[in-house]
Every structure is written in structure tokens, then in C-alpha cells.
Amino acid sequence: MERLWWHDAVIYHVYPRSFLDTDGDGVGDLPGVRRRLPYLARLGVDALWLSPFFASPMADFGYDVSDHTAVDPLFGSLADFDELLDAAHGHGLRVLIDYVPNHTSDRHRWFRDARADPAGPRRDWYVWRDPSPGGGPPNNWITLFGDSAWTREEAGGQYYLHSFLPSMPDLNWRNPAVQEAMFDVARFWLDRGVDGFRVDCAPLIAKDPLLRDNPPAATGTSAHHRDLGGFDSQLHLHDQGHPDLHPRYRDLRALLDSYGEPGERIALGEVHEYDWPAWSRYFGRDLDELNLPINFGLLGTDWHPEAIRTTVRAILDAVPAGAVVTWVMGSHDDPRVASRVGPAQAANAMLLLLTLPGTAILYNGDELGMPDAAVPPERIRDPWGLRTPALSRDHARSPMPWSPDSPSCGFTATGVEPWLPVTTPPGGTVRDQEADPSSLLSLTRDLLALRRAGAALHGAGLAFLDSPPGVLAYTRSPGPGSPPGAGGDLLVTLNLTDRAVPLDHLLTPRPSGGPWRRVFTTARTRDAAHTGQGALAPAEGAVWSAGDGGGPHRT
Ligand code: GLC
């Protein structure tokens, strides 16, 4: 298979509101992202994905788009975007942008037209229905917040569908004019030179055409990677994931492939589907739909070797031959990984993310070990958090701490209050961590260099090894056809406990091979160095090279 840039890329996810504020309004902006491109280039990632920066009333912080082809003044201008794109390309970084097909803001021109003129052509661009025969909403579908997904318009009495806030009406992709209009949006950005899209809520664009009720779910179960409260009271069989989405993603892929060489521009898809064979259908039967449907499997997996092995195996088994798998450990919607696994394990989480086969998405701040920020109730901004505090996403969206010498840690000009409280991770700000070779930032940079250097981390192969309790161990091998001198197998060992663990037989060379050499470790303090060659220090993650062809006993 020809290798394309995204086959083993590391995509850095920027949440622009929280990256760097250059105009002193307390909110990050596009010039701020541009100013920090050297930081990303030094880190060694391959691409960035920008969360929405389009015109929006910001009810859902930009996921409620009111004009898809305008930059919201909060973030800058279209010229700022063009400059950012150019500068990123100049650094060798690809740029993906968010693409929100399922809904718009209610302030979007399309919805204003639909609302104002029930007999007009734009009405059917959204999903309108009369009340059910007994009165009330047309069916039992609910929003993410557990209340009805239908809102009744006073004028005319019809209901419109919204999977999220009432101010975010769902588009009707069964109307071909909607697809055409949204593809025009894609063309607008592709013409400007973006390298692709992250498709928001990819499963939602096709729903049951008969709008059948969802069946109830067994109490206490969630089909998601975390408990979503009232949303989990139903099995979401009919309000998303209808097979009619496949032709639409085939069309989107064809559009992407019509720009430059096929395979250069890509669609990364947000797919919250946890039944892995069902998830894998988003690649398309002929791998002609989403290039990279994201799986969120690791976010809901306990931090234990057996649980991680089970999730990774199940996902890899579901990936169709020739497709590329994508991993995430954090996002703007989820608790911070460093808080989930604990600060001592944050480096192992990064090591896992960056040594699994395929593409990795690194959420901004995770390279610093950012914990969930403490956000006092009066400073909650997230609409989910305002409705259901347990669902608040603000704690994962706190501003990037760049330097220790100002109250906003360099996020904004001195004296300006950032839109969310600033949190400093245990390892300090970017400036502190850049100067500290044992920091998570330095470890991440070294890991990215290791990832680039050897073919083993580029191949699709991964074999889990029988390992001592508390240790996750696997080998990565260069794929068939790797060039000579590309390096041999790598062994990855993660100590998920807080005790030293001897590695015993794992490091026994095969009769034909030489010893394993530790080429990377997360344990860089002096104490760790005393643990010895054949053992992992507490919480140590290490990568071992069998440069001369040696290898461990596989199980
Ligand atoms: C996606 C986004 C999330 C947003 C939602 C509605 O899940 O990641 O931030 O709130 O879609 O657009």
C-alpha cells in the first residue's frame, strides 16, 4: 500500500478559544495559533486540527455555526486564517478544520429562511413535523441532555428537530440541496488549501426516515464511553447511524479526492459508536468513505493491562484490511487524561497513544499533563455544564499555560481575565517544561522523534506479550517491504503500577538475537535509574530496541 501522510500521522487538536489570546479579549484566536506554530513544529507533530472558528453566536462555543464561510471576529478574520494556513504549511504542518454537517445555529440564514417561510424552499433543509396525533413532540427522541429533541414553533405549531441545544437545529440531509450547500462549504475551504476536515457528529446525518421511537435502554448501561445521564435511557437506534449515511460519505470522499492527488485531503470523523464492527463501517465497504473514523475506545477503558489489551485487540480486529486506525486519549469534550489515569501515569498514556499502530490525535495540553481544571460553579461556561454540571466540559478546555510569569500564564495580555480559569499542570508551564528534560513535554517530543526515526512504529503490526502483573507489553515490527536499515522490532513496556516490576522473560533474547536495549524511558529521575536494567521503575514506560534482530517470546 502506498504510504500517505495521514497513515501514521500525529494530529494535534487545537481548541482555538484556549490556545493563545493575542488581542486581549480573554479568548484565544487564529493569530495566537499562528504565533505558536514554531512550538508545534518543535514538538514534532504532523498536522493540526482546529475546532470551529466560524461565525457563531457561541451557544456551543462555535459548534453552532451561523456562517460556515466566515471567521468569527472573536477569532480574527479570513485573512488571519489564510496566513495561519500558509505559515503552517511553511512549517510542514497540515491543517484540518472542523466541519459541522448535522446542525447549524438557529441564526444561520438557512434556518431563518426555513422558519420565516413554511412554504419556502429552505423549509425542508431542516426537519419539521406536526405534533404527534395525541399532541406533543413527533417521537421520543432526546437531546444529549435527556430532554425532547423537538421544539415547537409558536408560529404554525410545527416542531423542529435538534440533537443538541434548541438553538442548534438539525439539517435534513435527505434533501439533496442540503448536501449541495454543505459540499459548497467544503469546497470553499478546500479551495483555500485546507488538508481536510474533522467531521463533527458523523453518525448523525442520517436518521430513520420513518422517525420511529428509540427503544428504552437497560438502566445503568451506556453505549458511550462515559455515563451521559438521561441520554443513556434510550438505545439510540433510530436517531443516528442510519445506513443512508454511506452514500453521503462516499460523495464527500470523492469530493476530497478530486482535490490534488487522491488521498491527500482527508476526512477524520467523530464517530461515537462503541460496537467496533459497526464503527468500522464508517471506513466504507471499499474504504471509500471516512479516511479516519475516530474511535473513542481508550477513553472508556480502565487503566489496567488486561482492559487496554482487550480494547485495542477488539478495535484492531475490526479495522478492515488496508484501513488506518486512529487513537485518541483526550478531547475538548472529555475529562483530561492526566486526571483520568492520574498524574503518575500521564507519561504512560502518552507512550501508549504514540506507539499504537496508525494515526494519533493529541489534544492540546495533554503533552503538558494538564489536569481537569477546577472551575467554580459561577465560572461554568459550557452549555452542557450549565444544564448538567456532571457533563461540563470546561475542565478540559482551560487555557494553555505558556509561561510562569503572569496570572494568565502567558495565555493573554497581563490584566485580562481569560474566559476560563487557568490551571498549571504539576510539571509547570510550557516554558518550564521545555527547559526540563524529564518533563512530559520533553518526553513527548522525544517520543515523536523516536516515532519518526524507526519503521517499527509505522507498520500495522502489534503483538501483545505475556507480561508480569500490572505491565502492558507489546512489540511493534516494521511492515513487510520496509527499507533495509529501517530498524528492527521495538518492544514497549508500560508499568501501570506504583511498584518496580522485574521484566524477567520479556527481555530474554531469542537464540538468534541479541539483548534488548532500552532506547526510551519515561523515568528520567535519578531514583529511577537505580531500578536496574531488567526491571521497570514504578510507573515507568520504556521502549526497547532489538536492533540486531533479537526478539522476545511471543504468546
Ligand atoms: C461534537 C463536538 C462537541 C459539540 C457537539 C455538537 O460532539 O465535539 O463539542 O458540542 O458535537 O456540535
Side-chain angles (χ1 to χ4, degrees):
M1 182 178 54
E2 188 201 350
R3 291 217 73 75
L4 296 167
W5 70 266
W6 46 275
H7 284 185
D8 47 25
V10 177
I11 300 171
Y12 187 92
H13 173 191
V14 174
Y15 192 68
R17 285 188 76 86
S18 299
F19 208 58
L20 179 70
D21 170 24
T22 60
D23 61 0
D25 59 3
V27 173
D29 43 49
L30 294 178
V33 181
R34 182 160 62 96
R35 201 177 292 173
R36 288 294 181 257
L37 289 174
Y39 167 74
L40 298 180
R42 263 197 324 276
L43 187 57
V45 297
D46 303 290
L48 28 151
W49 144 36
L50 297 164
S51 273
F53 48 83
F54 318 110
S56 164
M58 303 289 163
D60 192 22
F61 295 113
Y63 282 94
D64 49 326
V65 180
S66 57
D67 185 347
H68 294 97
T69 56
V71 171
D72 196 279
L74 200 57
F75 294 116
S77 64
L78 208 47
D80 290 327
F81 177 77
D82 289 340
E83 280 172 31
L84 165 58
L85 186 62
D86 257 15
H89 286 162
H91 281 285
L93 296 165
R94 312 269 176 160
V95 178
L96 308 177
I97 65 171
D98 233 290
Y99 182 71
V100 188
N102 178 65
H103 41 262
T104 66
S105 160
D106 61 351
R107 312 243 187 110
H108 198 292
R109 188 166 43 85
W110 302 342
F111 191 70
R112 286 179 198 264
D113 290 351
R115 195 170 225 176
D117 185 2
R122 287 260 167 80
R123 181 71 168 186
D124 184 51
W125 285 33
Y126 294 85
V127 185
W128 298 89
R129 287 292 183 282
D130 291 332
S132 65
N139 67 16
N140 75 348
W141 294 356
I142 50 180
T143 69
L144 196 93
F145 319 106
D147 44 14
S148 175
W150 297 91
T151 288
R152 185 167 177 274
E153 277 280 278
E154 280 314 317
Q158 278 204 313
Y159 284 82
Y160 67 87
L161 180 65
H162 51 87
S163 298
F164 295 91
L165 298 171
S167 62
M168 297 161 72
D170 283 20
L171 284 163
N172 173 22
W173 277 72
R174 294 192 178 277
N175 183 332
V178 167
Q179 172 161 328
E180 222 11 74
M182 281 305 297
F183 279 21
D184 279 346
V185 170
R187 287 187 194 99
F188 176 88
W189 293 105
L190 289 166
D191 287 340
R192 300 196 96 77
V194 302
D195 299 285
F197 301 107
R198 175 270 191 183
V199 181
D200 186 64
C201 301
L204 264 66
I205 65 164
K207 298 159 179 120
D208 179 27
L210 303 175
L211 302 184
R212 278 171 291 190
D213 277 356
N214 280 328
T219 0
T221 58
S222 174
H224 219 263
H225 68 268
R226 64 178 177 135
D227 184 353
L228 289 175
F231 187 73
D232 295 332
S233 67
Q234 297 185 350
L235 287 177
H236 293 275
L237 276 193
H238 296 308
D239 53 356
Q240 51 181 286
H242 190 275
D244 287 347
L245 53 77
H246 296 293
R248 292 177 194 142
Y249 287 128
R250 275 199 290 280
D251 291 349
L252 179 65
R253 179 68 170 268
L255 173 65
L256 290 161
D257 283 346
S258 71
Y259 277 78
E261 289 295 308
E264 277 295 299
R265 317 282 171 119
I266 62 162
L268 180 74
E270 184 197 23
V271 179
H272 283 290
E273 169 59 71
Y274 296 82
D275 172 60
W276 304 122
W279 160 78
S280 76
R281 287 184 209 124
Y282 287 81
F283 287 105
R285 199 173 301 143
D286 298 318
L287 303 188
D288 53 356
E289 297 181 30
L290 299 177
N291 308 67
L292 298 171
I294 302 173
N295 80 74
F296 292 87
L298 288 173
L299 290 176
T301 299
D302 288 342
W303 199 241
H304 293 298
E306 200 41 56
I308 297 171
R309 246 193 310 247
T310 305
T311 298
V312 171
R313 267 207 187 113
I315 292 169
L316 291 179
D317 286 349
V319 176
V324 176
V325 62
T326 303
W327 305 98
V328 289
M329 280 293 196
S331 85
H332 65 303
D333 292 332
D334 293 290
R336 283 282 188 181
V337 61
S339 292
R340 193 166 68 78
V341 303
Q345 288 291 331
N348 275 335
M350 187 61 80
L351 177 56
L352 178 67
L353 176 69
L354 297 180
T355 56
L356 288 174
T359 295
I361 301 178
L362 201 173
Y363 178 52
N364 60 196
D366 283 350
E367 75 277 25
L368 306 173
M370 283 284 278
D372 282 336
V375 180
E378 69 282 4
R379 290 205 60 187
I380 294 184
R381 303 287 303 274
D382 177 27
W384 300 15
L386 290 170
R387 287 170 160 237
T388 316
L391 290 185
S392 183
R393 301 166 295 178
D394 288 332
H395 46 241
R397 297 176 174 179
S398 64
M400 282 286 284
W402 293 104
S403 55
D405 44 19
S406 78
S408 76
C409 291
F411 168 69
T412 189
T414 309
V416 177
E417 172 112 88
W419 76 288
L420 280 177
V422 175
T423 294
T424 315
T429 65
V430 169
R431 196 199 289 160
D432 304 317
Q433 296 203 28
E434 283 200 314
D436 172 4
S438 69
S439 69
L440 184 54
L441 178 58
S442 298
L443 289 173
T444 305
R445 185 178 305 154
D446 293 351
L447 261 176
L448 285 164
L450 184 76
R451 189 179 160 106
R452 275 193 304 279
L457 295 177
H458 299 176
L462 175 145
F464 284 112
L465 308 179
D466 206 11
S467 48
V471 172
L472 178 70
Y474 48 94
T475 49
R476 299 291 318 281
S477 315
S482 293
D489 283 8
L490 290 179
L491 164 66
V492 182
T493 54
L494 304 163
N495 180 0
L496 306 191
T497 75
D498 55 9
R499 316 174 302 276
V501 183
L503 288 176
D504 308 327
H505 74 282
L506 267 181
L507 298 177
T508 312
R510 279 192 299 233
S512 59
W516 287 100
R517 270 181 314 111
R518 194 175 334 219
V519 291
F520 173 87
T521 174
T522 64
R524 295 181 170 187
T525 57
R526 250 200 314 162
D527 288 355
H530 294 308
T531 310
Q533 173 59 17
L536 291 176
E540 178 183 0
V543 181
W544 311 74
S545 163
D548 53 7
H553 301 297
R554 298 227 165 125
T555 55

